[in-house]
Amino acid sequence: ALSWLDVSFNSLAEIPVDITRLQALTRLNLRANHLSRIPLPLLAASMPKLRRLRCGGNPLGSALVSSVCDAVGGRRLDLANRGIGGLG
């Protein structure tokens, strides 16, 4: 089963539904696309083995921050260059 997927630099505006069906993924790289939101609760529920999500370089804005605590748990999340102005 596929355990690691890199779809960085693909000009994605949204996450393809087929990616959420990859339940064995442990790592997903979504860096440098055009994603304005990432449905973290959906990813966490549909990919129980996902431990590392890279999503830097996307115009996510502050909408992502409110989902992080609920969905990520002990998982690793890379928010570098994410377009979030501030967390406080």
Side-chain angles (χ1 to χ4, degrees):
L2 185 65
S3 64
W4 189 74
L5 181 63
D6 184 342
V7 292
S8 59
F9 298 94
N10 276 287
S11 299
L12 297 174
E14 60 185 42
I15 299 172
V17 174
D18 291 339
I19 288 178
T20 64
R21 295 184 183 129
L22 300 171
Q23 296 182 351
L25 278 185
T26 59
R27 294 179 179 207
L28 177 58
N29 187 351
L30 298 168
R31 290 184 69 234
N33 281 290
H34 301 289
L35 301 169
S36 59
R37 71 179 209 68
I38 293 180
L40 289 175
L42 173 64
L43 292 181
S46 62
M47 298 180 194
K49 296 182 180 181
L50 188 65
R51 294 294 173 252
R52 184 165 187 183
L53 175 62
R54 297 189 76 191
C55 54
N58 285 290
L60 296 171
S62 60
L64 175 70
V65 176
S66 62
S67 300
V68 170
C69 295
D70 295 332
V72 177
R75 301 167 191 191
R76 189 169 173 184
L77 179 64
D78 176 359
L79 293 172
N81 300 315
R82 72 268 177 225
I84 297 173
L87 299 178

Coordinates of all heavy atoms in Angstrom, one line a residue:
A1 N 0.8 -1.2 0.0 CA 0.0 0.0 0.0 C 0.9 1.2 0.0 O 2.0 1.3 0.6 CB -0.9 0.0 1.2
L2 N 0.4 2.3 -0.6 CA 1.1 3.5 -0.7 C 1.2 4.2 0.7 O 0.1 4.4 1.3 CB 0.4 4.4 -1.7 CG 1.1 5.8 -2.0 CD1 2.4 5.6 -2.7 CD2 0.1 6.6 -2.9
S3 N 2.4 4.5 1.1 CA 2.5 5.1 2.5 C 2.9 6.6 2.4 O 2.8 7.3 3.4 CB 3.4 4.3 3.3 OG 4.7 4.4 2.8
W4 N 3.4 7.1 1.3 CA 3.9 8.4 1.2 C 3.6 9.0 -0.1 O 3.7 8.3 -1.2 CB 5.5 8.4 1.4 CG 6.1 9.7 1.5 CD1 6.0 10.6 2.6 CD2 6.9 10.4 0.5 NE1 6.7 11.7 2.4 CE2 7.3 11.7 1.1 CE3 7.3 10.1 -0.8 CZ2 8.0 12.6 0.4 CZ3 8.0 11.1 -1.4 CH2 8.4 12.3 -0.8
L5 N 3.0 10.2 -0.2 CA 2.6 10.8 -1.4 C 3.0 12.3 -1.4 O 2.8 13.0 -0.5 CB 1.1 10.8 -1.5 CG 0.5 11.4 -2.8 CD1 1.0 10.6 -4.1 CD2 -1.0 11.4 -2.7
D6 N 3.7 12.7 -2.5 CA 4.2 14.1 -2.7 C 3.5 14.7 -3.9 O 3.7 14.3 -5.0 CB 5.7 14.1 -2.9 CG 6.3 15.5 -3.0 OD1 5.5 16.4 -3.2 OD2 7.5 15.6 -2.8
V7 N 2.5 15.6 -3.6 CA 1.8 16.3 -4.7 C 2.2 17.8 -4.6 O 1.4 18.6 -5.0 CB 0.3 16.1 -4.7 CG1 0.0 14.6 -5.0 CG2 -0.3 16.4 -3.3
S8 N 3.3 18.1 -4.1 CA 3.8 19.5 -4.1 C 4.0 20.1 -5.5 O 4.3 19.3 -6.4 CB 5.0 19.6 -3.2 OG 6.1 18.9 -3.8
F9 N 3.9 21.4 -5.6 CA 4.1 22.1 -6.8 C 3.2 21.6 -8.0 O 3.7 21.5 -9.1 CB 5.6 22.1 -7.2 CG 6.5 22.7 -6.2 CD1 7.1 21.9 -5.2 CD2 6.7 24.1 -6.2 CE1 7.9 22.5 -4.2 CE2 7.5 24.7 -5.2 CZ 8.1 23.9 -4.2
N10 N 2.0 21.4 -7.7 CA 1.0 20.9 -8.7 C -0.1 21.9 -9.0 O -1.1 21.5 -9.7 CB 0.5 19.5 -8.3 CG 1.4 18.4 -8.7 OD1 1.5 18.1 -9.9 ND2 2.1 17.8 -7.8
S11 N -0.1 23.0 -8.5 CA -1.1 24.1 -8.7 C -2.5 23.6 -8.2 O -3.5 24.0 -8.9 CB -1.1 24.5 -10.1 OG 0.1 25.1 -10.5
L12 N -2.6 22.7 -7.2 CA -3.9 22.3 -6.7 C -4.6 23.4 -6.0 O -4.1 24.0 -5.1 CB -3.7 21.1 -5.8 CG -3.0 19.8 -6.3 CD1 -2.8 18.8 -5.2 CD2 -3.9 19.2 -7.4
A13 N -5.9 23.6 -6.4 CA -6.7 24.5 -5.7 C -7.5 23.9 -4.6 O -8.0 24.5 -3.6 CB -7.7 25.2 -6.6
E14 N -7.6 22.5 -4.6 CA -8.3 21.8 -3.6 C -7.7 20.4 -3.6 O -7.0 20.0 -4.5 CB -9.8 21.7 -3.8 CG -10.2 21.0 -5.1 CD -11.7 21.1 -5.3 OE1 -12.3 22.1 -5.0 OE2 -12.3 20.1 -5.7
I15 N -7.9 19.7 -2.5 CA -7.3 18.3 -2.4 C -8.2 17.4 -3.1 O -9.4 17.3 -2.8 CB -7.2 17.9 -0.9 CG1 -6.2 18.9 -0.2 CG2 -6.7 16.5 -0.8 CD1 -6.2 18.7 1.3
P16 N -7.7 16.6 -4.0 CA -8.5 15.6 -4.8 C -9.1 14.6 -3.8 O -8.4 14.1 -2.9 CB -7.5 15.0 -5.7 CG -6.5 16.0 -5.9 CD -6.3 16.7 -4.6
V17 N -10.4 14.3 -4.0 CA -11.1 13.3 -3.1 C -10.3 12.0 -3.1 O -10.3 11.3 -2.1 CB -12.5 13.1 -3.6 CG1 -13.2 12.0 -2.8 CG2 -13.3 14.4 -3.4
D18 N -9.8 11.6 -4.2 CA -9.1 10.3 -4.3 C -7.9 10.2 -3.2 O -7.6 9.1 -2.7 CB -8.5 10.0 -5.7 CG -9.6 9.7 -6.7 OD1 -10.7 9.4 -6.2 OD2 -9.4 9.9 -7.9
I19 N -7.3 11.3 -2.9 CA -6.2 11.3 -1.9 C -6.8 10.9 -0.6 O -6.1 10.2 0.2 CB -5.5 12.7 -1.9 CG1 -4.7 12.9 -3.2 CG2 -4.6 12.8 -0.7 CD1 -4.0 14.2 -3.3
T20 N -7.9 11.4 -0.2 CA -8.5 11.0 1.1 C -8.9 9.6 1.2 O -9.1 9.1 2.3 CB -9.7 11.9 1.4 OG1 -10.8 11.6 0.5 CG2 -9.4 13.4 1.4
R21 N -8.9 8.8 0.1 CA -9.2 7.4 0.2 C -7.9 6.5 0.4 O -8.0 5.3 0.5 CB -9.8 7.0 -1.1 CG -11.2 7.6 -1.3 CD -11.9 7.1 -2.6 NE -13.1 7.8 -2.7 CZ -13.5 8.5 -3.8 NH1 -12.8 8.4 -4.9 NH2 -14.7 9.1 -3.9
L22 N -6.8 7.2 0.5 CA -5.5 6.5 0.7 C -5.3 6.3 2.2 O -4.5 7.0 2.8 CB -4.3 7.2 0.0 CG -4.5 7.4 -1.5 CD1 -3.4 8.4 -2.0 CD2 -4.4 6.1 -2.2
Q23 N -5.9 5.3 2.8 CA -5.9 5.1 4.2 C -4.6 4.7 4.8 O -4.4 4.8 6.0 CB -7.0 4.1 4.6 CG -8.4 4.6 4.3 CD -9.5 3.7 4.7 OE1 -9.2 2.5 5.1 NE2 -10.7 4.1 4.6
A24 N -3.7 4.2 4.0 CA -2.4 3.7 4.5 C -1.3 4.8 4.5 O -0.2 4.6 5.0 CB -1.9 2.5 3.6
L25 N -1.7 6.0 4.0 CA -0.7 7.1 4.0 C -0.2 7.4 5.4 O -1.0 7.6 6.3 CB -1.3 8.3 3.3 CG -1.3 8.4 1.8 CD1 -1.8 9.8 1.4 CD2 0.0 8.2 1.2
T26 N 1.1 7.6 5.5 CA 1.7 8.1 6.7 C 2.2 9.5 6.5 O 2.4 10.2 7.5 CB 2.8 7.2 7.2 OG1 3.8 7.1 6.2 CG2 2.3 5.8 7.5
R27 N 2.5 9.8 5.3 CA 3.1 11.2 5.0 C 2.4 11.7 3.7 O 2.2 11.0 2.7 CB 4.6 11.1 4.7 CG 5.4 10.8 5.9 CD 6.8 10.7 5.5 NE 7.6 10.4 6.7 CZ 8.9 10.7 6.8 NH1 9.5 11.4 5.9 NH2 9.5 10.4 7.9
L28 N 2.0 13.0 3.8 CA 1.4 13.7 2.7 C 2.0 15.0 2.5 O 2.0 15.8 3.5 CB -0.1 13.8 2.9 CG -0.9 14.5 1.8 CD1 -0.8 13.9 0.4 CD2 -2.4 14.6 2.2
N29 N 2.5 15.3 1.3 CA 3.2 16.6 1.1 C 2.3 17.4 0.1 O 2.2 17.0 -1.1 CB 4.6 16.4 0.5 CG 5.3 17.7 0.3 OD1 4.8 18.8 0.5 ND2 6.6 17.6 0.0
L30 N 1.7 18.5 0.6 CA 0.8 19.3 -0.2 C 1.5 20.7 -0.4 O 0.8 21.6 -0.8 CB -0.5 19.5 0.5 CG -1.3 18.3 0.7 CD1 -2.5 18.6 1.7 CD2 -1.9 17.8 -0.6
R31 N 2.8 20.8 -0.2 CA 3.4 22.1 -0.2 C 3.3 22.8 -1.6 O 3.2 22.1 -2.6 CB 4.9 21.9 0.1 CG 5.2 21.6 1.5 CD 6.7 21.5 1.8 NE 7.2 22.9 1.7 CZ 8.3 23.2 1.0 NH1 8.9 22.3 0.2 NH2 8.7 24.5 1.0
A32 N 3.3 24.1 -1.6 CA 3.4 25.0 -2.7 C 2.4 24.7 -3.8 O 2.7 24.5 -5.0 CB 4.9 24.9 -3.3
N33 N 1.2 24.7 -3.4 CA 0.0 24.6 -4.3 C -0.8 25.9 -4.2 O -0.2 26.9 -3.8 CB -0.8 23.3 -4.0 CG -0.2 22.1 -4.6 OD1 -0.1 21.9 -5.8 ND2 0.3 21.2 -3.7
H34 N -2.0 25.8 -4.5 CA -2.9 27.0 -4.3 C -4.1 26.7 -3.4 O -5.2 27.1 -3.6 CB -3.4 27.4 -5.7 CG -2.4 27.8 -6.7 ND1 -1.6 28.9 -6.6 CD2 -1.9 27.1 -7.8 CE1 -0.7 28.9 -7.6 NE2 -0.9 27.8 -8.3
L35 N -3.8 26.0 -2.3 CA -4.8 25.5 -1.4 C -5.1 26.7 -0.4 O -4.3 27.1 0.3 CB -4.4 24.3 -0.6 CG -4.0 23.1 -1.5 CD1 -3.3 22.0 -0.6 CD2 -5.3 22.5 -2.1
S36 N -6.4 27.1 -0.4 CA -6.8 28.1 0.6 C -7.4 27.5 1.8 O -7.6 28.2 2.8 CB -7.8 29.1 -0.1 OG -9.0 28.4 -0.5
R37 N -7.7 26.2 1.8 CA -8.1 25.5 3.0 C -7.8 24.0 2.9 O -7.7 23.5 1.8 CB -9.6 25.7 3.2 CG -10.5 25.0 2.3 CD -12.0 25.2 2.7 NE -12.9 24.2 2.3 CZ -13.0 23.0 2.9 NH1 -12.1 22.6 3.8 NH2 -13.9 22.1 2.5
I38 N -7.5 23.4 4.0 CA -7.2 22.0 4.1 C -8.2 21.4 5.1 O -8.2 21.8 6.2 CB -5.7 21.8 4.4 CG1 -4.8 22.3 3.3 CG2 -5.5 20.3 4.7 CD1 -3.4 22.1 3.5
P39 N -9.0 20.5 4.7 CA -10.0 19.9 5.6 C -9.4 18.9 6.6 O -9.4 17.7 6.4 CB -11.0 19.2 4.7 CG -10.1 18.8 3.5 CD -9.1 19.9 3.3
L40 N -8.7 19.5 7.6 CA -8.0 18.6 8.6 C -8.8 17.6 9.2 O -8.4 16.4 9.4 CB -7.2 19.5 9.6 CG -6.1 20.3 9.0 CD1 -5.5 21.2 10.1 CD2 -5.0 19.3 8.5
P41 N -10.0 17.9 9.7 CA -10.9 16.9 10.3 C -11.1 15.7 9.3 O -11.1 14.5 9.7 CB -12.1 17.6 10.7 CG -11.7 19.0 10.9 CD -10.7 19.2 9.8
L42 N -11.4 16.0 8.1 CA -11.6 15.0 7.1 C -10.3 14.1 6.9 O -10.4 12.9 6.8 CB -12.1 15.6 5.7 CG -12.2 14.6 4.6 CD1 -13.2 13.5 4.8 CD2 -12.4 15.3 3.3
L43 N -9.2 14.8 6.7 CA -7.9 14.1 6.6 C -7.7 13.2 7.8 O -7.3 12.0 7.6 CB -6.8 15.0 6.3 CG -6.8 15.8 5.0 CD1 -5.5 16.7 5.0 CD2 -6.8 14.9 3.8
A44 N -7.9 13.7 8.9 CA -7.6 12.9 10.2 C -8.5 11.7 10.2 O -8.1 10.6 10.6 CB -7.8 13.7 11.4
A45 N -9.8 11.8 9.9 CA -10.7 10.7 9.9 C -10.5 9.7 8.8 O -10.7 8.5 9.1 CB -12.2 11.3 9.9
S46 N -10.2 10.2 7.6 CA -10.1 9.2 6.5 C -8.7 8.6 6.4 O -8.5 7.6 5.7 CB -10.5 9.9 5.2 OG -9.6 11.0 4.9
M47 N -7.7 9.2 7.0 CA -6.3 8.7 6.9 C -5.8 8.5 8.3 O -5.0 9.3 8.8 CB -5.4 9.7 6.2 CG -5.8 10.0 4.8 SD -4.6 11.2 4.1 CE -5.4 11.6 2.7
P48 N -6.2 7.5 9.0 CA -5.8 7.3 10.4 C -4.4 7.1 10.6 O -3.9 7.3 11.7 CB -6.6 6.0 10.8 CG -6.9 5.3 9.5 CD -7.0 6.4 8.5
K49 N -3.6 6.7 9.6 CA -2.2 6.4 9.8 C -1.3 7.7 9.5 O -0.1 7.7 9.7 CB -1.7 5.3 8.9 CG -2.3 4.0 9.4 CD -1.9 2.8 8.5 CE -2.5 1.5 9.0 NZ -2.1 0.4 8.2
L50 N -2.0 8.7 9.0 CA -1.2 10.0 8.6 C -0.5 10.6 9.8 O -1.2 10.9 10.8 CB -2.2 11.0 8.0 CG -1.6 12.2 7.4 CD1 -0.7 11.8 6.2 CD2 -2.6 13.2 6.9
R51 N 0.8 10.7 9.7 CA 1.6 11.3 10.8 C 2.3 12.5 10.5 O 2.7 13.3 11.3 CB 2.6 10.2 11.3 CG 2.0 9.0 11.9 CD 1.2 9.4 13.2 NE 0.5 8.3 13.8 CZ -0.8 8.2 13.8 NH1 -1.6 9.1 13.2 NH2 -1.4 7.2 14.3
R52 N 2.4 12.8 9.2 CA 3.1 14.0 8.8 C 2.4 14.6 7.6 O 2.2 14.0 6.6 CB 4.6 13.7 8.4 CG 5.3 15.0 8.1 CD 6.8 14.8 8.0 NE 7.4 16.1 7.9 CZ 8.7 16.3 7.8 NH1 9.5 15.2 7.8 NH2 9.2 17.5 7.6
L53 N 2.0 15.9 7.7 CA 1.3 16.6 6.7 C 2.1 17.9 6.5 O 2.3 18.7 7.3 CB -0.1 17.0 7.1 CG -0.9 17.9 6.2 CD1 -1.1 17.2 4.9 CD2 -2.2 18.2 6.8
R54 N 2.6 18.1 5.2 CA 3.4 19.3 4.9 C 2.5 20.1 4.0 O 2.0 19.7 2.9 CB 4.7 18.9 4.1 CG 5.6 18.1 5.0 CD 6.9 18.0 4.4 NE 7.6 19.2 4.6 CZ 8.8 19.5 3.9 NH1 9.3 18.7 3.1 NH2 9.3 20.7 4.1
C55 N 2.2 21.3 4.4 CA 1.3 22.2 3.7 C 1.7 23.6 3.5 O 1.0 24.5 3.2 CB -0.1 22.1 4.2 SG -0.2 22.5 6.0
G56 N 3.0 23.8 3.8 CA 3.6 25.2 3.7 C 3.5 25.7 2.2 O 3.4 24.9 1.3
G57 N 3.6 27.0 2.0 CA 3.6 27.5 0.7 C 2.3 27.6 0.1 O 2.1 27.7 -1.2
N58 N 1.2 27.5 0.8 CA -0.2 27.6 0.4 C -0.8 28.8 1.0 O -0.5 29.1 2.2 CB -1.0 26.3 0.7 CG -0.6 25.2 -0.2 OD1 -0.9 25.1 -1.3 ND2 0.0 24.2 0.4
P59 N -1.7 29.5 0.4 CA -2.4 30.7 0.9 C -3.5 30.2 1.9 O -4.7 30.5 1.7 CB -3.0 31.4 -0.3 CG -3.2 30.3 -1.3 CD -2.2 29.3 -1.0
L60 N -3.2 29.6 3.0 CA -4.2 29.0 3.9 C -4.9 30.0 4.8 O -6.0 29.9 5.1 CB -3.5 27.9 4.8 CG -3.0 26.7 4.0 CD1 -2.2 25.8 4.9 CD2 -4.2 26.0 3.4
G61 N -4.2 31.1 5.2 CA -4.8 32.1 6.0 C -5.1 31.5 7.4 O -4.7 30.4 7.8
S62 N -5.7 32.3 8.2 CA -6.0 31.9 9.6 C -7.0 30.8 9.8 O -7.2 30.3 10.9 CB -6.3 33.1 10.5 OG -7.4 33.7 9.9
A63 N -7.8 30.5 8.7 CA -8.9 29.5 8.9 C -8.3 28.2 9.3 O -8.9 27.4 9.9 CB -9.6 29.4 7.6
L64 N -7.0 27.9 8.9 CA -6.4 26.6 9.2 C -6.2 26.5 10.7 O -6.3 25.4 11.2 CB -5.1 26.5 8.4 CG -4.3 25.2 8.7 CD1 -5.0 24.0 8.2 CD2 -2.9 25.4 8.2
V65 N -5.8 27.5 11.3 CA -5.3 27.5 12.7 C -6.4 26.9 13.6 O -6.1 26.1 14.5 CB -4.9 28.9 13.2 CG1 -4.6 28.8 14.7 CG2 -3.7 29.4 12.4
S66 N -7.7 27.2 13.4 CA -8.7 26.8 14.3 C -9.0 25.3 14.2 O -9.5 24.6 15.1 CB -10.0 27.5 14.0 OG -10.5 27.2 12.7
S67 N -8.6 24.7 13.1 CA -8.7 23.2 12.9 C -7.6 22.4 13.4 O -7.7 21.2 13.6 CB -8.9 22.9 11.4 OG -10.1 23.6 10.9
V68 N -6.4 23.0 13.5 CA -5.2 22.3 13.8 C -5.3 21.5 15.1 O -5.0 20.3 15.2 CB -4.0 23.2 13.8 CG1 -2.7 22.5 14.3 CG2 -3.7 23.7 12.4
C69 N -5.7 22.2 16.2 CA -5.7 21.5 17.5 C -6.6 20.3 17.6 O -6.3 19.3 18.2 CB -6.0 22.6 18.6 SG -4.8 23.9 18.7
D70 N -7.8 20.4 16.9 CA -8.7 19.3 17.0 C -8.3 18.2 16.1 O -8.5 17.0 16.5 CB -10.1 19.8 16.5 CG -10.7 20.8 17.4 OD1 -10.4 20.8 18.6 OD2 -11.5 21.7 16.9
A71 N -7.7 18.4 15.0 CA -7.4 17.3 14.0 C -6.1 16.7 14.1 O -5.9 15.5 13.8 CB -7.7 17.8 12.6
V72 N -5.1 17.4 14.5 CA -3.7 16.9 14.4 C -3.3 16.0 15.5 O -2.6 15.0 15.3 CB -2.7 18.1 14.2 CG1 -1.3 17.6 14.1 CG2 -3.1 18.8 12.9
G73 N -3.6 16.3 16.7 CA -3.2 15.5 17.8 C -1.7 15.4 17.9 O -1.0 16.3 17.9
G74 N -1.2 14.1 18.0 CA 0.2 13.9 18.0 C 0.9 13.9 16.7 O 2.0 13.5 16.6
R75 N 0.2 14.3 15.7 CA 0.8 14.2 14.3 C 1.6 15.5 14.0 O 1.5 16.5 14.7 CB -0.4 14.1 13.3 CG -1.2 12.9 13.5 CD -2.4 12.9 12.7 NE -3.3 11.9 13.2 CZ -4.4 11.5 12.6 NH1 -4.8 12.1 11.5 NH2 -5.1 10.5 13.1
R76 N 2.5 15.4 13.1 CA 3.4 16.5 12.7 C 2.8 17.3 11.6 O 2.4 16.8 10.6 CB 4.7 15.9 12.3 CG 5.8 16.9 12.2 CD 7.1 16.3 12.1 NE 8.1 17.3 11.7 CZ 9.3 17.0 11.5 NH1 9.7 15.7 11.5 NH2 10.2 17.9 11.2
L77 N 2.7 18.6 11.8 CA 2.2 19.5 10.8 C 3.2 20.6 10.4 O 3.6 21.3 11.3 CB 0.9 20.1 11.3 CG 0.1 21.1 10.4 CD1 -0.3 20.4 9.1 CD2 -1.0 21.7 11.1
D78 N 3.5 20.8 9.2 CA 4.4 21.8 8.7 C 3.6 22.9 8.2 O 3.0 22.8 7.1 CB 5.4 21.2 7.7 CG 6.3 22.2 7.1 OD1 6.3 23.4 7.4 OD2 7.1 21.8 6.2
L79 N 3.7 24.1 8.8 CA 2.9 25.3 8.4 C 3.9 26.4 7.8 O 3.5 27.5 7.7 CB 2.1 25.9 9.5 CG 1.0 25.0 10.0 CD1 0.4 25.6 11.3 CD2 -0.1 24.8 9.0
A80 N 5.1 26.0 7.4 CA 6.0 27.0 6.9 C 5.5 27.7 5.7 O 4.8 27.1 4.9 CB 7.4 26.3 6.6
N81 N 5.7 29.0 5.6 CA 5.3 29.8 4.5 C 3.8 29.6 4.2 O 3.4 29.4 3.0 CB 6.1 29.5 3.3 CG 7.6 29.8 3.5 OD1 7.9 30.9 4.1 ND2 8.4 28.9 3.1
R82 N 3.0 29.7 5.2 CA 1.6 29.3 5.0 C 0.6 30.5 4.8 O -0.6 30.4 4.6 CB 1.1 28.5 6.1 CG 0.9 29.2 7.4 CD 2.2 29.1 8.2 NE 2.1 29.9 9.4 CZ 3.1 30.7 9.8 NH1 4.1 30.8 9.1 NH2 3.1 31.3 10.9
G83 N 1.2 31.7 4.9 CA 0.3 32.9 4.7 C -0.5 33.2 5.9 O -1.5 34.0 5.7
I84 N -0.1 32.8 7.0 CA -0.9 33.1 8.3 C -0.2 34.3 8.9 O 1.0 34.3 9.2 CB -0.9 31.9 9.3 CG1 -1.6 30.8 8.6 CG2 -1.5 32.4 10.6 CD1 -1.6 29.5 9.5
G85 N -0.9 35.4 9.0 CA -0.3 36.6 9.5 C 0.1 36.6 11.0 O 1.2 37.1 11.3
G86 N -0.6 35.9 11.8 CA -0.3 35.9 13.2 C -1.2 34.9 13.9 O -2.3 34.6 13.5
L87 N -0.7 34.3 15.0 CA -1.5 33.4 15.7 C -2.1 34.0 17.0 O -2.9 33.3 17.7 CB -0.7 32.1 16.1 CG -0.1 31.4 14.9 CD1 0.8 30.2 15.4 CD2 -1.2 30.8 14.0
G88 N -1.7 35.1 17.4 CA -2.2 35.7 18.6 C -3.1 36.8 18.5 O -3.9 37.3 18.4

